[in-house]
Amino acid sequence: MKKSLFAAAALCGALTLTAMPVMAEEPDYASMKIVLILPGSIDDQSWNASNNAGAKACDEQLGTSIEVVESVPVEEFESTFTEYGEKGYDLIMSAGSQFDEACAAVAPQYPDSVYTVINGQVSESENMVPVFPKEYEGSYLAGIVAGYATENGNFAVMGGESNAPMVKLMDTYDAAAKAVCEERGLEFTTTRSFVNTWSDVSATKAMADQMIDNGADTVFCYSNEGASGAVQSTQEKGAKFVAFAANKNEESDSVVASVNMNWVNVYPWIIEGVAKGELSGPQQVGVAEGVFETIFTDACSDECKAAVEKAVEDITAGNIDFTQYFSEK
């Protein structure tokens, strides 16, 4: 894969899921130099594992050989981006909005490489192609599940850190859970907390313990490795857990369902799109593109499953205005 192909693609302007003319010949994916940089372990059973699965899907489907670098600390983001820019990699991918700032600082220095931040929103140079999952669509589905799972209408909502996308997904989770509670005749109560870590299992467990002790019977936690601490808490204290970003159904009987981020459906689309010149500028993907899948357990009623399926249909058809739920516009 020649670098000039990527440079040409970057000059085509910002698009959102809009196709450009496809090349006459299929790109030579096997020759592409691609790296995926992760903030945590591929064994975290959450964000990093699901992105690693997306990379492996590309290797199987397209014949790529994506190098995966895991557990990169924040202080090494810029140096890692620089390293692969210096090596002349065609596509330098990273997973997590925390990479936005470092990517914006480094990408302009290597215009022949394309930089993609999964869950990113910053595109300050022509070779930056962030891909942002509309997480609030997935958390809306999780909120429906939680609304049917709760017995007292008291919800604990936790996040690894506070940022605009996190607040939006929590807002829609609450809105969906509240609507179901109202249908069921339950009083709705929610408590929101940020652990300020994505990986500390014990800190996440301690926070979940406190929230359950204060009355919450259903817990939602969007984190990486740390989410396992919240799962442990629900198991020990007899509460319920709704998983997000990964399938945690086998982790504990307290998990009633998982809204999984299925990056296996998206990574090949990203690489094909960049290689063919079909994608440039910021991209958004969601339920309609197959990013989110709800994996139910036997704890979910048929009524719950039907409500989630109806929501998927409505989201795909564009029938839900999510902005009405956002506390921060």
Side-chain angles (χ1 to χ4, degrees):
M1 175 61 59
K2 296 181 180 178
K3 294 180 186 176
S4 58
L5 170 62
F6 290 91
L11 293 173
C12 294
L15 299 173
T16 302
L17 296 180
T18 301
M20 296 177 56
V22 178
M23 297 169 49
E25 296 182 1
E26 189 75 3
D28 181 8
Y29 296 110
S31 70
M32 292 172 64
K33 296 171 67 176
I34 307 172
V35 63
L36 171 61
I37 303 165
L38 297 173
S41 167
I42 61 174
D43 296 321
D44 69 348
Q45 296 183 309
S46 188
W47 174 255
N48 295 282
S50 60
N51 278 272
N52 181 62
K56 298 308 177 188
C58 291
D59 291 348
E60 295 175 3
Q61 296 176 27
L62 302 177
T64 53
S65 297
I66 299 177
E67 180 179 349
V68 177
V69 183
E70 55 184 314
S71 301
V72 177
V74 174
E75 59 271 19
E76 294 181 12
F77 285 177
E78 286 196 23
S79 62
T80 306
F81 280 138
T82 300
E83 175 187 349
Y84 286 96
E86 287 290 334
K87 290 180 178 179
Y89 271 55
D90 298 304
L91 180 57
I92 300 167
M93 308 180 74
S94 56
S97 58
Q98 59 265 54
F99 287 99
D100 268 341
E101 184 177 346
C103 185
V106 175
Q109 303 174 42
Y110 302 95
D112 288 334
S113 298
V114 170
Y115 284 77
T116 292
V117 177
I118 305 297
N119 210 31
Q121 299 185 81
V122 177
S123 181
E124 297 181 353
S125 61
E126 294 173 333
N127 63 328
M128 293 178 67
V129 184
V131 177
F132 180 71
K134 292 178 278 189
E135 295 172 319
Y136 51 83
E137 293 185 351
S139 65
Y140 186 81
L141 303 180
I144 293 173
V145 172
Y148 281 100
T150 186
E151 296 178 6
N152 66 4
N154 194 327
F155 300 88
V157 184
M158 305 169 60
E161 68 177 33
S162 177
N163 53 47
M166 180 72 77
V167 171
K168 287 181 178 180
L169 74 88
M170 288 181 168
D171 288 344
T172 55
Y173 174 89
D174 283 347
K178 180 179 180 181
V180 176
C181 283
E182 290 176 347
E183 291 178 3
R184 296 180 59 202
L186 293 175
E187 183 177 346
F188 171 81
T189 303
T190 183
T191 304
R192 182 177 300 185
S193 296
F194 301 100
V195 194
N196 296 319
T197 173
W198 293 89
S199 58
D200 192 326
V201 174
S202 61
T204 307
K205 181 180 183 301
M207 182 172 286
D209 284 345
Q210 181 178 359
M211 298 173 82
I212 295 171
D213 288 344
N214 288 336
D217 77 338
T218 305
V219 178
F220 171 91
C221 179
Y222 182 19
S223 183
N224 293 338
E225 294 95 334
S228 290
V231 174
Q232 292 173 21
S233 177
T234 57
Q235 180 175 353
E236 293 176 4
K237 292 181 172 292
K240 299 176 182 179
F241 188 84
V242 179
F244 189 71
N247 181 5
K248 288 186 171 293
N249 289 4
E250 301 300 322
E251 196 165 320
S252 169
D253 290 340
S254 65
V255 181
V256 296
S258 296
V259 178
N260 182 42
M261 281 193 187
N262 193 1
W263 288 110
V264 169
N265 289 341
V266 181
Y267 265 69
W269 171 81
I270 294 171
I271 291 177
E272 287 179 322
V274 172
K276 296 177 181 179
E278 296 174 354
L279 301 180
S280 68
Q283 307 291 316
Q284 291 194 20
V285 292
V287 167
E289 290 76 32
V291 178
F292 301 101
E293 60 175 349
T294 305
I295 306 171
F296 301 100
T297 70
D298 292 339
C300 294
S301 65
D302 290 341
E303 185 179 11
C304 173
K305 295 175 183 178
V308 170
E309 291 172 2
K310 178 62 166 58
V312 168
E313 293 174 0
D314 287 340
I315 294 170
T316 302
N319 294 334
I320 300 177
D321 176 16
F322 286 100
T323 61
Q324 65 181 307
Y325 305 128
F326 298 159
S327 57
E328 299 178 4
K329 304 299 182 181

